[in-house]
Structure formats: C-alpha cells, structure tokens
Amino acid sequence: MRRTVQRRTAVGFIALLALFLPLALPAAASESSGDDDVIVLQGAKSAEGIAAGEGTTFFAGELNTGDIFRGDIREGKAKRIIDAPEGRMAVGMKADVSNDLLFVAGGATGKAYVYNTETRKTVAEVTLTTKTGSFINDVTLTDDGAWFTNSKYGELYLVKVSHSGEVRKAVRTLTVKGDAASALGPNDFGMNGIAVAEDGDTLIVAHTRDEALYAVDPETGKSDRIKGRDLEFIDGILVKGHTLWAVQNMDNQISRVELSDDLSSFKVEDVIKSKNFDIPTTVAKFGDTLAAVNAKFGRQAARYEVVLVPAWD
C-alpha cells in the first residue's frame, strides 16, 4: 500500500477532530464553471452528512450536535428542523422517502438515530456497538434495512427495517474479513462511506487509510479490493448503476469512477473540482447535480454550506 507520512498525519487529524444539467467532459480533471450554487446551513457550527429527500429536497446534519437541516436545491435555502437531544452526533445519513425516515450515523456515540422527517420526532435510538473508540461513520439502505460503518473497527452493522418502515432495534454485527480487515493504527480511519451496488447483493465501502474501495459480501463479510487508482482522502461515496462518486475531502474534489460489471475494478472518468469546496465529506445526487457538504475540518468556521456542482454524468 502506498501512503506518505503526510497523508497519515492528515487522516489522523481528521479522526481526532471528528471525535470532539451538464454534459460529460473528456478531461481527467474538470473545473466547474464558477457559477456553483452555495446553500448556507444557517446557524450550523459544524457539518458532515447529506441525504437526498423527495424531489429537490435534501437533509444535512450538524456534526457535533446531531441537529438536522432540511433544504431545497432549487430554492437555495435550508433551515434547522430537528434540534437533537444533547450528546448526539450526525455523520453520514440516508433518507427512506417512502416512509419519511432519516437514518443517521452517530459517530463517536456508537449509535444510529432514526428520525421521522414529517413529525421531526426520534423514531429509534439504536446502540450499534459499545467498543471503545468506535466511530459510526456512514449508512446505506438496502432491502434488508440500514447498514452502518465503523471507521475504527472492521465491523458493519445492520438495523433491520420492514417495508412499512418499522425499525427493529436488534442489531446484526458483521465482522469483515479479507482485504478490508487489516488492523488499524490509533490514527487510522478504516471503512468510511458505504453504498449498495447495482446488484443489490453487494456492499461497497470506502476505506480511508487504504485509499481504496472494497466490495463486501453482506452475508459472509468477505471483502475484496476493487482494483483501481488510489483515492486519497476518500470519504463519502454514492453509487448509481455502475457509476460511483467518491468524495476526497482534503483534496477538495469528487472523483467519478466507472465500476466493472463484476466489481473487480474501476476507472476514474472525471475529477470534479469547485472553488467553493472546503473539505467536502459526503454527497447526494439530484438529476445532473451533486450536492456536497463542506465540513471544514481543522477550524471553527463562520458558516457551513452545501455546494452544488455538475455530476458530469
């Protein structure tokens, strides 16, 4: 594995902070036009996760308080809709639009939170793990329920959800084996972003330390590296068909990659950049538009925002 001391230090610093309608371009790196929309999360003191809701609606989270914002990419506005109880966090998130549910990774709390986006009430607070130093980083939805990553341990967690939206608090812990399961150092972040592949039977996880993507069997936990270019500072990911968008936070870019049919390899097709990116972490897609959240790790910023850029797909 190729990794410099500088990269290791930066990733460790991020972990420490976390605990407290366009045409495709042929170029390898495509700078957006400069007319990107910026939607401010009014009053937010931190940010990290975003999820696509119904239509052009999005949800975004305040990392350190767990509060939830709702916005609209057409209106260009967002407001706080959930004032989370003290002690919660909001990292990665996904919305189940049909059941008005929002699933939120709870970071250093070791928990998952589920909110009703209409009533704004907590539907479930689920303890995924009590292991010291755990960091529940991201979530994806499958037919079985919600899968969560732990960036400090080689484990994934399934919270089962019925088709009618009933959340079952019993947790299935999946021990990951194979390529993604190597031991982590104290400053390492392992499995980070997560998505479900087009086949519906395979999980894809981003591994920050390894600068890699892995395919994981949700039944056995077997993992295999998806061969391709190193993806430095990889964070949140999004999968649509055979296309995957990988947010590379400290590099201030999003790589658009094409996955092979058998998920054995990928090729970087575009690198999306914006002058408005300021350590983006997660991304949601609305047609030909991507919405990415600026986390601004390393400092307390005056504001936090969602940046809209072309998806180049």
Side-chain angles (χ1 to χ4, degrees), residues 36-167:
D36 308 319
D37 291 328
V38 174
I39 303 172
V40 177
L41 303 176
Q42 294 287 353
K45 301 301 182 184
S46 57
E48 217 278 356
I50 190 169
E54 186 172 12
T56 54
T57 299
F58 68 85
F59 300 95
E62 188 168 17
L63 174 65
N64 293 329
T65 68
D67 288 1
I68 305 298
F69 291 76
R70 178 160 52 201
D72 190 291
I73 66 167
R74 285 183 180 170
E75 296 177 358
K77 298 178 181 178
K79 65 179 182 179
R80 193 186 311 264
I81 64 164
I82 295 174
D83 187 0
E86 187 176 352
R88 293 190 182 181
M89 297 182 72
V91 196
M93 56 183 64
K94 288 293 184 297
D96 176 357
V97 174
S98 62
N99 291 307
D100 298 322
L101 296 178
L102 183 68
F103 295 81
V104 180
T109 69
K111 295 182 178 182
Y113 304 106
V114 187
Y115 300 99
N116 184 297
T117 56
E118 292 301 309
T119 67
R120 307 180 186 183
K121 302 295 185 182
T122 301
V123 173
E125 178 179 345
V126 184
T127 298
L128 302 178
T129 180
T130 58
K131 288 186 176 180
T132 302
S134 291
F135 194 88
I136 309 304
N137 207 324
D138 205 359
V139 56
T140 194
L141 302 181
T142 71
D143 289 341
D144 294 326
W147 283 96
F148 294 83
T149 58
N150 187 339
S151 290
K152 302 301 289 184
Y153 292 92
E155 295 178 346
L156 300 175
Y157 310 100
L158 173 63
V159 176
K160 291 191 175 182
V161 184
S162 72
H163 291 293
S164 62
E166 179 186 359
V167 180

Side-chain angles (χ1 to χ4, degrees), residues 48-312:
E48 217 278 356
I50 190 169
E54 186 172 12
T56 54
T57 299
F58 68 85
F59 300 95
E62 188 168 17
L63 174 65
N64 293 329
T65 68
D67 288 1
I68 305 298
F69 291 76
R70 178 160 52 201
D72 190 291
I73 66 167
R74 285 183 180 170
E75 296 177 358
K77 298 178 181 178
K79 65 179 182 179
R80 193 186 311 264
I81 64 164
I82 295 174
D83 187 0
E86 187 176 352
R88 293 190 182 181
M89 297 182 72
V91 196
M93 56 183 64
K94 288 293 184 297
D96 176 357
V97 174
S98 62
N99 291 307
D100 298 322
L101 296 178
L102 183 68
F103 295 81
V104 180
T109 69
K111 295 182 178 182
Y113 304 106
V114 187
Y115 300 99
N116 184 297
T117 56
E118 292 301 309
T119 67
R120 307 180 186 183
K121 302 295 185 182
T122 301
V123 173
E125 178 179 345
V126 184
T127 298
L128 302 178
T129 180
T130 58
K131 288 186 176 180
T132 302
S134 291
F135 194 88
I136 309 304
N137 207 324
D138 205 359
V139 56
T140 194
L141 302 181
T142 71
D143 289 341
D144 294 326
W147 283 96
F148 294 83
T149 58
N150 187 339
S151 290
K152 302 301 289 184
Y153 292 92
E155 295 178 346
L156 300 175
Y157 310 100
L158 173 63
V159 176
K160 291 191 175 182
V161 184
S162 72
H163 291 293
S164 62
E166 179 186 359
V167 180
R168 297 161 187 169
K169 294 187 179 181
V171 177
R172 178 192 167 204
T173 299
L174 179 69
T175 300
V176 176
K177 309 176 183 70
D179 295 346
S182 57
L184 296 170
N187 293 324
D188 290 333
F189 253 28
M191 293 183 293
N192 193 330
I194 186 170
V196 61
E198 184 183 38
D199 62 14
D201 297 324
T202 306
L203 299 172
I204 299 176
V205 296
H207 198 292
T208 303
R209 185 201 61 186
D210 291 357
E211 303 175 357
L213 295 168
Y214 290 99
V216 179
D217 186 322
E219 296 299 324
T220 67
K222 182 179 182 295
S223 66
D224 294 293
R225 184 163 181 152
I226 304 175
K227 296 178 182 178
R229 180 191 303 178
D230 286 353
L231 296 170
E232 185 180 38
F233 301 124
I234 189 170
D235 200 325
I237 59 174
L238 175 69
V239 174
K240 300 290 183 182
H242 286 91
T243 302
L244 180 147
W245 289 265
V247 183
Q248 295 171 265
N249 52 41
M250 301 297 286
D251 283 341
N252 285 312
Q253 66 185 36
I254 301 172
S255 287
R256 180 176 67 84
V257 313
E258 190 70 13
L259 299 164
S260 63
D261 290 343
D262 62 359
L263 300 180
S264 65
S265 63
F266 70 85
K267 179 182 178 182
V268 176
E269 298 288 349
D270 272 314
V271 177
I272 302 162
K273 295 178 178 290
S274 169
K275 66 179 183 180
N276 294 315
F277 282 162
D278 195 345
I279 313 184
T281 47
T282 53
V283 67
K285 186 173 181 289
F286 303 86
D288 291 332
T289 299
L290 296 179
V293 177
N294 281 334
K296 303 185 180 183
F297 291 135
R299 69 187 189 281
Q300 182 65 56
R303 71 175 197 178
Y304 292 83
E305 60 273 317
V306 171
V307 178
L308 307 182
V309 293
W312 305 121

